[in-house]
Amino acid sequence: MSQVSNENIYQLEGKVPLKTALPLGIQHLLAMFLGNISPLIIVCGMLQMDLNLKTALIQNAMFIAGVTTLIQIYPIMKIGSGLPGVMGTSSGFLGTAKAIGVTYGYGAIMGASVVGALFEMVLGYFIKPLKKLFPPIVTSLVVISIGLSLLPVGIRYFGGGFTPEFGDPKHIIVGTVVVIMIIILNQCKQKFISASAILISIVIGYILAIVMGMVDFTAVKETAWFSLPKVMPVGIEFNINAIIAMLIMYVATAVETVGDLSGIANGGLDREPTDEELSGGVIADGFGSLIAAFFGVLPNTTFSQNVGLVAVTKVVNRFVIGTGAIVLVLMGFIPKLSAIFTVMPQSVLGGAAVVMFAMIFVSGLKSLLRDEIDDRKGLIIAISLGLGVGIGNLPDVLAHLPKWVGQIFAQNGIIMTFVIATTLNLILPEKKKEK
């Protein structure tokens, strides 16, 4: 029997004291909270949904994220990777969901999600024969592109988020204080403090925001203490056009999941993920999205934000991540708890987000540099990131091409990077190594 020890936070297995696991688990919750509810808030607002329904869907999003995270880190049969990956509502589906919702309604999004989720689960079982499409150079570039594509989102949060006050000096001050505190605490000789640097810095930033009069707790006071998650709060409808569009995005999700799991294994465990871990992770994505659809929630996938957190803290213990997942589940029953995080200014999380997203890039770069970069690999890297990240930052360049091209590539530069890197890796001849 392994002993309970704080040192186990740096091991995948091992017992960790609850007083240590809980704050480190909540740290992961904070990293993904806004990203988990933002897609729903955007889609619900666009479709002018009833406020009560919108609240119920956000509550369900927290509950589902916790459940699917537990499945991901504690595999059931072949469902789950066993790696410390955190699950949540995917923003990658946002563009497609908005298009489907406007044309066919929210029920059609859920119906297409059901079919797409089943498709991704099937795809997960074929990861091993498809492994040749995911050599280290491809997965490393995907991880790098994930980090680069998320940085604008981090800066958006840093400046105050999607509000009229974006760029207000008070948001810049709060975000900067959070970044400075992360740097200071990360250098602390006490391992628990350095591992909790993100959480402590966010708490300090939150307190500063309260002192500066940036937080309105009215919503917290008006929110109920207890409420059960609602099953099928909206009807499920099946539309062939919606299904086709969603299937394409589920392929993209599988690619992103492979990149995320590679980032976790590289950044936290200093190794490549196994075939079984990749397969189980993709299957868990599909299974989690299937459950989510019946709770009216957009598809779930591994969260890149938390990949960056693993890279920063090196905390990979499954019990720690599982503790955070249980808190997410509880938030699905206690709306007032969710409201406390909801009213937090986005600039508080923005300071941490910039650091975490940049660390995703660093973990991908480390993986890429493990092997010598010759002229062939240099060309693959240059073209993949040049076009993938470039078009991801300026998607309007595809505005005059067929609509399906924009739906696949304009919404997510990660996919463009993957397609180009995979294609070039397959067609460019490898030079024979000199003896």
Side-chain angles (χ1 to χ4, degrees):
M1 295 289 288
S2 61
Q3 292 184 339
V4 178
S5 171
N6 286 331
E7 292 299 317
N8 288 334
I9 62 175
Y10 304 111
Q11 306 296 325
L12 193 59
E13 306 289 349
K15 298 178 180 179
V16 177
L18 185 59
K19 65 179 182 180
T20 300
L22 186 58
L24 293 178
I26 291 176
Q27 186 170 241
H28 272 279
L29 183 156
L30 289 171
M32 58 79 70
F33 184 83
L34 275 179
N36 186 42
I37 64 175
S38 294
L40 274 171
I41 291 174
I42 294 171
V43 174
C44 290
M46 185 190 63
L47 298 179
Q48 298 182 337
M49 282 190 178
D50 175 73
L51 181 60
N52 291 330
L53 176 58
K54 177 182 175 181
T55 303
L57 292 178
I58 292 174
Q59 178 184 345
N60 283 1
M62 306 310 300
F63 173 72
I64 292 298
V67 171
T68 54
T69 298
L70 288 171
I71 293 172
Q72 182 69 271
I73 61 179
Y74 294 109
I76 302 172
M77 299 177 71
K78 292 187 177 182
I79 304 174
S81 65
L83 293 173
V86 176
M87 304 283 285
T89 308
S90 173
S91 59
F93 286 87
L94 187 54
T96 304
K98 286 165 65 177
I100 295 172
V102 169
T103 309
Y104 306 110
Y106 196 80
I109 300 175
M110 296 300 101
S113 294
V114 169
V115 178
L118 293 171
F119 172 72
E120 187 179 11
M121 290 180 69
V122 173
L123 188 63
Y125 284 99
F126 293 94
I127 287 294
K128 189 170 183 177
L130 292 173
K131 190 70 180 292
K132 65 180 181 180
L133 298 177
F134 309 127
I137 186 172
V138 174
T139 54
S140 298
L141 287 172
V142 169
V143 173
I144 288 172
S145 67
I146 288 171
L148 292 176
S149 66
L150 284 173
L151 275 175
V153 178
I155 294 297
R156 169 64 66 174
Y157 286 168
F158 184 87
F162 296 90
T163 66
E165 295 182 339
F166 177 75
D168 191 298
K170 62 185 179 184
H171 288 297
I172 304 298
I173 291 170
V174 170
T176 302
V177 167
V178 173
V179 172
I180 292 172
M181 290 308 304
I182 290 173
I183 295 171
I184 294 173
L185 294 172
N186 199 255
Q187 306 304 311
C188 183
K189 293 182 179 180
Q190 289 188 356
K191 291 185 178 180
F192 176 74
I193 292 179
S194 62
S196 308
I198 300 287
L199 174 62
I200 298 172
S201 301
I202 288 175
V203 171
I204 292 172
Y206 200 174
I207 293 172
L208 176 61
I210 294 172
V211 172
M212 294 174 66
M214 297 168 60
V215 184
D216 182 2
F217 287 104
T218 303
V220 178
K221 296 177 182 177
E222 295 176 351
T223 304
W225 276 102
F226 180 80
S227 177
L228 290 172
K230 295 178 177 63
V231 181
M232 291 190 67
V234 295
I236 294 178
E237 302 173 11
F238 296 96
N239 179 282
I240 186 63
N241 292 328
I243 290 171
I244 292 173
M246 196 64 86
L247 285 176
I248 294 170
M249 282 311 305
Y250 269 100
V251 174
T253 295
V255 173
E256 189 172 352
T257 295
V258 169
D260 285 338
L261 295 177
S262 298
I264 290 171
N266 287 325
L269 301 171
D270 198 29
R271 64 172 175 81
E272 295 294 330
T274 65
D275 294 342
E276 290 74 19
E277 288 170 340
L278 292 179
S279 176
V282 172
I283 294 171
D285 262 23
F287 186 69
S289 298
L290 181 64
I291 298 173
F294 287 102
F295 280 83
V297 177
L298 296 176
N300 270 232
T301 185
T302 50
F303 254 44
S304 301
Q305 293 94 314
N306 299 83
V307 177
L309 184 54
V310 168
V312 171
T313 65
K314 304 299 180 183
V315 176
V316 295
N317 186 268
R318 293 199 292 177
F319 177 72
V320 168
I321 313 300
T323 303
I326 291 172
V327 175
L328 277 171
V329 172
L330 291 176
M331 290 175 71
F333 292 91
I334 309 174
K336 193 176 287 290
L337 193 59
S338 301
I340 293 174
F341 295 103
T342 303
V343 299
M344 180 189 297
Q346 293 185 31
S347 53
V348 176
L349 293 176
V354 171
V355 176
M356 292 186 297
F357 296 165
M359 284 305 299
I360 296 174
F361 165 79
V362 172
S363 66
L365 188 62
K366 285 182 178 179
S367 175
L368 192 64
L369 295 176
R370 285 179 180 174
D371 297 322
E372 181 183 353
I373 298 178
D374 55 18
D375 291 341
R376 174 183 177 274
K377 288 184 178 179
L379 185 62
I380 294 174
I381 294 168
I383 296 176
S384 301
L385 292 179
L387 288 176
V389 177
I391 291 175
N393 286 328
L394 193 62
D396 290 345
V397 72
L398 304 178
H400 297 290
L401 295 179
K403 191 174 181 179
W404 64 268
V405 175
Q407 287 180 336
I408 299 172
F409 297 112
Q411 303 297 333
N412 198 336
I414 300 166
I415 307 309
M416 177 74 82
T417 300
F418 166 74
V419 170
I420 295 174
T422 302
T423 303
L424 291 178
N425 184 63
L426 291 174
I427 65 175
L428 290 181
E430 290 192 53
K431 296 179 181 179
K432 293 183 179 179
K433 293 183 180 180
E434 295 183 13
K435 293 184 180 180

